[in-house]
Amino acid sequence: MSERRHSLAWRLALAVAVVCTLAMSAVAVFLYRSLAAEIAYRDDLALLGRLEQVRTLLHDSDSLGVLQQRPQLYQNMLGNQESVLRVRRADGSLVFEINPHGETLGDPPRIGVSQQPSRTDIRQDRNALLLAGDAVGPAGEALTVMVGKRLHEREAILASYRLRLYLAVAAGALLAWIIGLLLVRRALTPLRDMADALALIDLRNLHRRLADTAAPLELQAPIQALNGMLARLEQGFERLSQFSADLAHEIRTPLHTLLASTGQALNQPRSSDEYRELLGSNIEEYERLNRMVENLLFLARADHGQRRVHLQAIDLAHLGEELCDYFQLLADERGACLEHSLHGTLNTDLQLLQRALGNLLANAVRHAKPGTTVRLSRHDDAAFVRLCVRNEGDTIAPEHLPRLFDRFFRIDPARTEPGDSGGLGLAIVQSIMTLVNGKVSASSDDGVTTFTLSFPNAGAVQLDSYVDSDPSSA
C-alpha cells in the first residue's frame, strides 16, 4: 500500500490556522476573564454602595412605618429585578423585603454598624451575592440589613459573550486557513517554477541551469546545489560518452588485427609454422584484450567501493627491492637503471600499493631515456607520507598533466606497445589512491617527470564492502 501523500500547502495552511486559533483562543480567554472580573467588581461595588445607602435611609427616617408603606421607593432605588433587599429587627421580625423572584435567601454574616464594608464581606449564596450588616433605625432601633443581587443576568451576559467568542475564534480559524492556503500557494510558486525548469532538462541539454536571481533567499542554496549537481552530471555524462568512444576505439584495434590476420590466413593453405606464428600473434592480442577487461573490471569495482582495504604494516624497503627486481628486465631492455631509497613502514593495503607502484614504475621505465635512472623514493611531511617515482625523459606539456589519469588517455595515441595497460594504468593508480584516502599527483619539468603517491599519516580507512579482484599490475 502506497503512503498517503499530503500537500505541503495544506500542511502549512493548517499550521497557520492552528497558530492563529491558539493565539485567538488565548486572547479570547483573556478578554472573557477580564469582562467577568470587571462585571464582578462592578456588582460588588454596587452592593457595598447599596448597603451604605440603606443604612443612611434607615437612620434618617422618622419611623419604620412610613418606610414599610412605601416599598416602591426601594424598588426604584434598586433599579432592576435582579436586586434583593431585606430589613429585620433585632428580634428577627421582618420589617420589609423586596424579592421580585421570590428567591430563598440565606443569612450571611453581618458586619457592625461602625465597620466599613469591603468586598471580602460579600458572600455568594446559591445564585446570588449577599451582603449583610447592622444598622440603626429611627429612635436608635437596632436593625439588620441584607442587600443582594441575583447572578442570572451576569451569567446570561457571560454566556452570550462566550458564544460570540467561540464563533469569532472558529470564523477566525477558518479565515486564517483560507488566507494561509492562498498565501502558501503563492509562496510556493518559485518551487513550481523550479520543478518546471528541471522537467525541461534532459540528456540533450544538460548544460541548462536554474536561475537564482529572482528566487527567494531560502531557495538560493538548493538551486545552487542543484546547479552543482547538474554540472557534475554533465561532466560525468561527457566523461562517460568519451569513455564509451575510447573503449570502442581501443577494442576495435585488436579486433581488426585479429580479423585481418585470421582472414588472411584462411585465404589459402598455410604451413604449420605459419599457423603457429599466427596463433602466437593472436594470443598477444587476446592478452591485450584480457588485460583491458580486467583493468576495466577493477576500475568499476573501485568506483563503487567494492574492494575492501586490508590494512597492514608494510616494510617499504623490502617492497622496493621486490619491485626493482621485478622490473629490472624491462629496465635492461630500455637501457635504464632502477634504484630505490624507500625506508620505514606504511600502514595500507599491500596488494593495492604493489599495483599502484608497479603501474607507475612500468610507465616510468617505458618513457625513460636510455642510460638514465628511474628512482623510487620516500619523502614525508607533517600530513602525508609521499612515495615518488621519478624518471628522465620527454617533458610532459602542462596542458596534458590534468588529463594523465583519465581513462584511455595517451599523450601520443600512436605509441602503443605490447604489454601496455591500454591507457588505464594511471587511471587505476588514481582509483587505488581514492580507495586508501590518498591522492596521486604528477609534475614534469626540464625532462624530469615525477609521480607522487600521498598517503595520510593516520593510515588508510577500511571500507565495508568488498569483492575479490586480481591484484596483478596492469
Side-chain angles (χ1 to χ4, degrees):
M1 182 180 294
S2 60
E3 296 182 358
R4 183 180 179 182
R5 299 181 180 180
H6 300 279
S7 169
L8 180 60
W10 281 62
R11 288 182 178 182
L12 292 177
L14 182 59
V16 171
V18 170
V19 172
C20 291
T21 301
L22 293 176
M24 289 187 296
S25 298
V27 173
V29 170
F30 172 76
L31 292 176
Y32 176 79
R33 292 186 175 180
S34 298
L35 178 62
E38 182 66 21
I39 293 177
Y41 176 74
R42 291 179 179 273
D43 288 345
D44 291 347
L45 290 185
L47 285 180
L48 295 177
R50 191 166 301 153
L51 178 61
E52 290 298 319
Q53 289 176 357
V54 174
R55 279 179 169 181
T56 302
L57 180 63
L58 293 175
H59 183 270
D60 295 340
S61 297
D62 295 332
S63 65
L64 292 176
V66 176
L67 295 176
Q68 290 175 323
Q69 296 174 0
R70 300 175 60 188
Q72 188 65 33
L73 172 65
Y74 302 103
Q75 291 184 2
N76 293 337
M77 180 182 68
L78 297 177
N80 57 55
Q81 298 294 315
E82 297 295 316
S83 298
V84 295
L85 172 63
R86 184 175 65 192
V87 179
R88 287 180 176 176
R89 295 185 175 86
D91 59 3
S93 60
L94 184 65
V95 177
F96 60 83
E97 180 180 37
I98 299 177
N99 188 359
H101 297 277
E103 297 280 352
T104 302
L105 304 176
D107 193 9
R110 303 189 304 271
I111 60 175
V113 177
S114 60
Q115 183 179 354
Q116 186 71 21
S118 64
R119 295 184 66 191
T120 57
D121 298 322
I122 300 175
R123 299 290 185 269
Q124 182 172 347
D125 180 70
R126 299 177 185 174
N127 292 324
L129 296 177
L130 302 177
L131 176 62
D134 296 330
V136 179
E141 182 179 0
L143 301 173
T144 299
V145 179
M146 185 190 71
V147 295
K149 180 177 178 60
R150 297 174 70 248
L151 297 177
H152 295 81
E153 182 180 3
R154 179 198 298 186
E155 293 176 353
I157 293 175
L158 293 178
S160 175
Y161 190 66
R162 281 197 306 271
L163 178 60
R164 295 187 180 187
L165 288 178
Y166 292 151
L167 295 176
V169 170
L174 180 60
L175 185 62
W177 180 77
I178 295 175
I179 296 178
L181 183 60
L182 296 176
L183 293 178
V184 170
R185 286 185 179 275
R186 183 177 180 85
L188 293 179
T189 300
L191 282 178
R192 291 191 291 271
D193 295 340
M194 186 169 65
D196 295 338
L198 287 174
L200 298 176
I201 299 177
D202 54 22
L203 295 179
R204 293 172 295 179
N205 51 15
L206 282 175
H207 62 279
R208 299 185 62 174
R209 299 293 181 267
L210 301 178
D212 59 352
T213 54
L217 291 177
E218 293 80 5
L219 291 182
Q220 289 186 2
I223 288 177
Q224 292 174 1
L226 285 173
N227 285 337
M229 181 188 69
L230 290 173
R232 292 190 296 272
L233 287 176
E234 182 182 12
Q235 295 175 0
F237 184 74
E238 290 177 354
R239 290 177 58 186
L240 181 61
S241 300
Q242 184 63 38
F243 171 74
S244 301
D246 293 340
L247 178 61
H249 175 75
E250 293 293 332
I251 293 179
R252 182 178 59 184
T253 300
L255 288 179
H256 282 182
T257 302
L258 291 171
L259 288 173
S261 60
T262 304
Q264 184 178 2
L266 293 176
N267 285 336
Q268 55 185 348
R270 304 284 180 176
S271 65
S272 298
D273 292 337
E274 290 175 332
Y275 282 122
R276 187 178 294 107
E277 182 180 356
L278 173 64
L279 292 177
S281 175
N282 288 349
I283 285 177
E284 292 182 359
E285 297 299 329
Y286 289 135
E287 288 177 347
R288 181 180 175 186
L289 286 173
N290 184 60
R291 285 195 301 272
M292 186 181 302
V293 171
E294 289 181 351
N295 290 337
L296 289 173
L297 182 60
F298 177 86
L299 289 172
R301 289 169 173 173
D303 289 345
H304 290 83
Q306 296 178 337
R307 171 61 164 86
R308 176 175 291 180
V309 178
H310 302 280
L311 298 178
Q312 64 183 95
I314 302 172
D315 184 353
L316 294 180
H318 179 69
L319 177 62
E321 291 291 342
E322 288 184 346
L323 290 173
C324 288
D325 291 342
Y326 183 83
F327 288 98
Q328 187 61 53
L329 181 60
L330 179 62
D332 292 340
E333 293 177 358
R334 302 288 178 167
C337 298
L338 288 174
E339 68 177 33
H340 81 92
S341 58
L342 296 182
H343 60 277
T345 60
L346 179 64
N347 190 38
T348 188
D349 189 292
L350 176 59
Q351 292 182 348
L352 292 180
L353 181 60
Q354 285 177 332
R355 187 164 191 171
L357 288 176
N359 285 359
L360 292 181
L361 281 173
N363 184 73
V365 170
R366 288 192 182 99
H367 295 87
K369 290 182 178 179
T372 61
T373 300
V374 177
R375 291 181 174 85
L376 180 59
S377 59
R378 170 176 176 169
H379 305 280
D380 295 357
D381 55 29
F384 293 96
V385 175
R386 304 186 189 275
L387 304 183
C388 303
V389 178
R390 176 180 176 273
N391 74 306
E392 298 179 26
D394 296 334
T395 301
I396 301 176
E399 62 269 18
H400 294 319
L401 288 175
R403 298 196 58 198
L404 286 179
F405 302 99
D406 292 348
R407 299 172 185 181
F408 298 116
F409 176 77
R410 291 188 181 93
I411 297 176
D412 185 4
R415 268 185 81 180
T416 59
E417 302 178 8
D420 71 354
S421 61
L424 295 174
L426 295 181
I428 290 176
V429 174
Q430 186 177 48
S431 295
I432 289 174
M433 295 309 295
T434 301
L435 280 175
V436 298
N437 286 345
K439 58 183 180 180
V440 60
S441 59
S443 63
S444 184
D445 190 23
D446 294 333
V448 178
T449 300
T450 304
F451 287 87
T452 303
L453 304 180
S454 300
F455 296 85
N457 273 328
V461 176
Q462 183 170 344
L463 302 180
D464 294 333
S465 58
Y466 73 96
V467 294
D468 295 330
S469 60
D470 182 8
S472 61
S473 61

